[in-house]
Amino acid sequence: MELAYIPSPSTGVVHLGPIPLRGYAFCIIIGVFVAVWLGNKRWIARGGKPGTVADIAVWAVPFGLVGGRLYHVITDYQLYFGEGRNWVDAFKIWEGGLGIWGAIALGALGAWIGCRLRGIPLPAWADALAPGIALAQAIGRWGNWFNQELYGRATDLPWAVKISEGANRVAGTYHPTFLYESLWCLGVAGLVLWADKRFKLGHGRAFALYVAAYCVGRSWIEYMRVDEAHHILGVRLNVWTSIVVFLLAVIYFVLSAKLRPGRETVVEPDCGPSGDAAAKTGDAKTPEAKTAQATGTDPKAAAEKAVDPKAAEAKADAAEPAEAAAPAANAGDAQPGAKKL
């Protein structure tokens, strides 16, 4: 008996006149905006210029969408080129079907092009965007809920998702693997934010941490899914992909930490060092120090005057004769024939 379950939407699209508004597309778009918003804040905190993340995302996002779709079509080609299938459906991205592996790979190529045009190191940009990508995935996975896809084995758990009868699916209650992955991605985002703040990750290590952490979750979530997939040695293809990508991310993290420890001090041309780097190099100044530098006053003396004005004035009066005598002594040394002791 089903006591509780997560209902699925009766439809994944709402028509506004002749314009179809698809839930899957909205989830993707909202995820992209959240990733760019958070990435921009992190980029500025690292010493970059506002708007740079969005400018490079103009390259990365289209490349990522194409890459994600290509990966899905190639690994599930039977859905589009098998007997009785229509190859035109391969272009219907709004019906679902984006492979994260292809999206990250080709999206990285687009980001590399954008970074090259701006003279920006790709690893620094990727570090700034890493937790935002995880949040975008967490939001985007709800698009699968609208399409009633990517669910797991049948279950009667109270958080099971109810799937209605449809093409290539049987009505029932199933593990909501889209929800599991969404929650996992939220945890990955939190992990990257914490680790980056705690250990000052740089040179692509925050992004590598995101990739490795995501792969851990994707491997066990993928194992629960029941949708059609290719298998190698009895294991789903995406599980093998998760294992390989995880190892590559860990290797990069370790080698990068040894070869390029610390974090970039300058991430964008014509920008000074970030706040952390400025503090280490002594470039960071308090407002009082900046004011003293501009006016030529001694901040220590100003502080003493604020505490005890009379004592500060007495100290300044006592220092005046010594200051007046110094130029005279220097002048005497400069006179011709003057003897030096």
Side-chain angles (χ1 to χ4, degrees), residues 94-286:
W94 55 86
E95 293 183 353
L98 289 175
I100 184 61
W101 315 115
I104 292 295
L106 213 56
L109 175 61
W112 177 79
I113 294 174
C115 288
R116 288 277 294 179
L117 294 175
R118 296 291 294 265
I120 292 170
L122 176 60
W125 185 85
D127 281 343
L129 206 65
I133 296 177
L135 288 179
Q137 288 179 257
I139 297 170
R141 272 305 177 203
W142 283 91
N144 303 128
W145 177 62
F146 281 100
N147 287 351
Q148 297 195 48
E149 59 187 4
L150 302 190
Y151 46 85
R153 296 186 291 270
T155 182
D156 57 358
L157 291 171
W159 58 83
V161 61
K162 188 174 181 62
I163 300 297
S164 60
E165 190 74 26
N168 301 317
R169 66 175 186 249
V170 179
T173 55
Y174 300 87
H175 278 283
T177 51
F178 72 89
L179 174 61
Y180 298 160
E181 186 167 336
S182 179
L183 295 175
W184 184 269
C185 287
L186 289 176
V188 171
L191 172 65
V192 175
L193 288 171
W194 170 81
D196 193 33
K197 183 178 181 180
R198 174 67 176 81
F199 301 106
K200 307 299 180 187
L201 302 177
H203 302 287
R205 289 189 288 279
F207 185 80
L209 176 61
Y210 146 71
V211 172
Y214 171 74
C215 289
V216 172
R218 180 60 185 267
S219 61
W220 67 266
I221 294 171
E222 183 73 21
Y223 186 76
M224 297 180 65
R225 284 167 50 174
V226 295
D227 53 303
E228 187 177 355
H230 294 287
H231 289 72
I232 300 176
L233 300 177
V235 179
R236 291 170 67 97
L237 174 61
N238 280 330
V239 175
W240 287 110
T241 306
S242 297
I243 295 172
V244 172
V245 175
F246 169 81
L247 293 175
L248 292 175
V250 171
I251 291 172
Y252 177 89
F253 189 98
V254 174
L255 292 179
S256 174
K258 290 183 177 180
L259 299 176
R260 307 187 72 183
R263 178 185 284 179
E264 301 89 343
T265 56
V266 178
V267 297
E268 191 165 358
D270 303 326
C271 285
S274 62
D276 294 336
K280 291 180 180 179
T281 57
D283 291 337
K285 294 183 176 65
T286 62

Side-chain angles (χ1 to χ4, degrees), residues 273-300:
S274 62
D276 294 336
K280 291 180 180 179
T281 57
D283 291 337
K285 294 183 176 65
T286 62
E288 293 80 3
K290 291 180 179 180
T291 303
Q293 184 181 31
T295 58
T297 59
D298 182 3
K300 184 177 180 180

